[in-house]
Amino acid sequence: MKPPVLKMIKVSALILAPWNYKPPATPEQMGKLIASIRHDESAGVLAVRPLDNGKFEVVDGNHRLEAIRLVGWKTAPCEVFEINKREAILLSKRRNTERSEERRVGK
């Protein structure tokens, strides 16, 4: 896999992957995420892949995208991966597993 390219992408061009369902964040979780993004914009970086229709599918960052929309950003920092759906699913699972492990160890 080639390294991703960091780009600012219009929020209106970002779509959630139908295969990457996440339950909604609780109000407490969303409040913490919004505070984190406002404090450090790099906390809002999304992993995306380009689609044939000019949109970008969010591979990792569903809750961050929701927070970005609530904060009112017009563009979002994105790591753009040139990958297919199978690779996107694997990347999403890997990143979510890593984050879960970090939270578990951090407690």
Side-chain angles (χ1 to χ4, degrees):
M1 179 182 339
K2 291 182 353 185
V5 175
L6 189 61
K7 283 178 68 172
M8 294 300 287
I9 297 176
K10 289 183 179 181
V11 171
S12 61
L14 299 170
I15 62 168
L16 298 177
W19 50 263
N20 192 13
Y21 173 76
K22 295 282 192 280
T26 66
E28 180 184 356
Q29 290 169 324
M30 189 54 57
K32 287 180 181 178
L33 191 50
I34 288 171
S36 175
I37 288 170
R38 282 185 171 146
H39 175 72
D40 178 7
E41 289 183 6
S42 68
V45 177
L46 309 172
V48 302
R49 72 183 188 110
L51 299 175
D52 293 337
N53 63 4
K55 300 280 187 180
F56 292 83
E57 184 176 67
V58 177
V59 173
D60 180 48
N62 290 4
H63 291 150
R64 279 171 277 152
L65 177 57
E66 183 181 352
I68 285 167
R69 287 179 172 151
L70 290 170
V71 170
W73 289 3
K74 301 296 181 213
T75 60
C78 296
E79 292 178 296
V80 180
F81 289 86
E82 296 288 339
I83 55 178
N84 62 35
K85 181 179 175 181
R86 184 178 102 28
E87 293 167 322
I89 291 168
L90 292 172
L91 177 63
S92 175
K93 286 182 179 182
R94 188 181 82 229
R95 287 194 167 193
N96 281 303
T97 300
E98 289 169 356
R99 232 181 342 274
S100 293
E101 181 65 19
E102 287 171 3
R103 282 192 289 267
R104 189 185 66 74
V105 170
K107 289 184 177 183

